Amino acid sequence: MSWNPALDPDIPLGDAVDAIETVIVPRARDLGGFEVRRALPSARRQMVGPFIFFDQMGPAEFLTGRGIDVRPHPHIGLGTVTYLLRGRLHHRDGLGTDQWIEPGAVNWMLAGHGITHSERTDAPEGPGSLFGLQTWLALPKDREDDAAAFVHQGADRLPELEGEGKRVRLILGQAWGERAPVDLPVEAVYADAILAPGARLPMPEGHEDLGAYVIDGSVSVGGQSFEAGRMLVMRPVDRLALTAGSQGARLMVLGGAVADGPRWIWWNFVASSKERIEAAREAWRAGDWAHGRFRLPPNDSAEFIPAPEK
């Protein structure tokens, strides 16, 4: 569909206007030839809207027979989105889901009361690569015990807006007059934007909290320039836009409603209380896959990741 020019007005931001509340520099971690950069949670910001976890995975190149091998592990109190830019991952979960995750698709896994899943590249026959983003959204208090669920939508099912030097795919939520097809238990927005040099992207209106993560190139706002590998948390100002630098830019827009209270995060668990975390920890350690809180993926149940020590 075409971009609506009315949604991209001239935005009079002078150098004196400080539109950025916080700039987060992700922490890098080498996982044995595979680098992960974590922007959320950080010392400066635990969350942006409902987003409480944001990892950049790669980019990485793998030799034949090598890849990602994340064994079954549990989640509670959150929804996960694995969004790939390059490569593919094999998702299996305790609901019986068996789904390949490919670039541009949305894969929404609602953990709720509890779910177990694995993500693997399944030892590819030739050299491979992987580049993507892993995000978690904290659930509202009244949805923390929802039943687990998984939804996959291919890239061709997601709204795309194109024109005036930008192409935007809406992954989750509502923005720029469009709505993504996945129903969410929390108000959120998540989008993948590719900008030509000098193109301007207006931030979506109507969201309480907004941020942008620069994947490639650079963007400027309010007289400031920001390069790749930076998460920008916006101040709540009207009619804000980001402008791509001389090499263009690719960025993820994220945000939504602020959480209804503080959240605890331990290992793969997110909850509104320590007691919820402790109960989930004990349930995973008990290992009663037939009758307990967690089920291993039926087609990937030979191993699992044990809970770390407190």
Side-chain angles (χ1 to χ4, degrees):
M1 63 189 70
S2 297
W3 190 272
N4 184 350
L7 298 178
D8 190 15
D10 290 333
I11 299 175
L13 291 174
D15 291 345
V17 178
D18 184 5
I20 305 301
E21 173 192 302
T22 303
V23 179
I24 298 171
V25 180
R27 309 182 306 281
R29 183 182 179 189
D30 187 348
L31 302 180
F34 181 72
E35 186 176 77
V36 172
R37 294 178 177 268
R38 180 158 303 163
L40 295 175
S42 76
R44 306 194 70 178
R45 265 281 193 139
Q46 185 192 45
M47 303 173 70
V48 176
F51 288 81
I52 195 168
F53 182 93
F54 189 104
D55 263 7
Q56 175 184 317
M57 306 180 295
E61 303 294 331
F62 302 115
L63 299 175
T64 299
R66 301 292 297 273
I68 300 298
D69 194 31
V70 181
R71 293 169 290 160
H73 58 280
H75 290 284
I76 67 163
L78 55 86
T80 73
V81 180
T82 301
Y83 185 77
L84 297 183
L85 309 176
R86 189 165 71 243
R88 62 201 304 253
L89 279 173
H90 196 175
H91 167 98
R92 302 177 181 94
D93 62 41
L95 301 172
T97 307
D98 193 316
Q99 175 70 52
W100 278 96
I101 302 173
E102 298 183 326
V106 60
N107 297 271
W108 166 257
M109 187 180 73
L110 176 67
H113 187 66
I115 195 170
T116 303
H117 79 128
S118 63
E119 288 182 321
R120 308 177 188 258
T121 49
D122 288 354
E125 296 179 357
S129 63
L130 189 72
F131 188 20
L133 302 150
Q134 179 85 56
T135 58
W136 302 351
L137 285 72
L139 299 180
K141 291 179 181 178
D142 62 352
R143 304 296 298 270
E144 287 183 286
D145 287 323
D146 277 10
F150 180 86
V151 177
H152 169 85
Q153 296 284 0
D156 59 343
R157 296 291 309 278
L158 303 182
E160 285 198 0
L161 300 102
E162 186 169 4
E164 300 177 354
K166 47 188 169 275
R167 185 168 76 250
V168 181
R169 175 180 289 126
L170 186 59
I171 303 166
L172 294 177
Q174 183 173 357
W176 304 293
E178 296 293 332
R179 180 181 291 276
V182 176
D183 290 331
L184 299 176
V186 61
E187 187 265 302
V189 60
Y190 192 35
D192 174 11
I194 300 174
L195 310 182
R200 306 181 76 187
L201 177 70
M203 291 295 96
E205 298 179 356
H207 296 287
E208 189 175 7
D209 205 20
L210 280 175
Y213 181 78
V214 185
I215 299 172
D216 194 23
S218 65
V219 298
S220 63
V221 59
Q224 302 176 76
S225 181
F226 303 94
E227 298 181 350
R230 300 293 184 269
M231 177 173 283
L232 316 178
V233 183
M234 315 298 180
R235 295 189 187 279
V237 298
D238 294 333
R239 305 179 69 196
L240 176 66
L242 301 179
T243 302
S246 61
Q247 302 301 313
R250 186 169 193 174
L251 57 120
M252 305 300 293
V253 176
L254 67 152
V258 173
D260 55 352
R263 288 297 185 272
W264 298 90
I265 180 169
W266 178 83
W267 193 35
N268 304 304
F269 301 152
V270 171
S272 59
S273 71
K274 290 183 178 180
E275 291 75 19
R276 286 179 175 271
I277 296 284
E278 184 63 28
R281 175 166 46 212
E282 293 308 312
W284 182 251
R285 286 177 172 165
D288 184 356
W289 314 128
H291 307 99
R293 182 171 180 174
F294 297 103
R295 304 282 191 274
L296 293 177
N299 41 12
D300 190 2
S301 59
E303 55 182 347
F304 60 87
I305 300 177
E309 296 300 320
K310 294 183 182 179

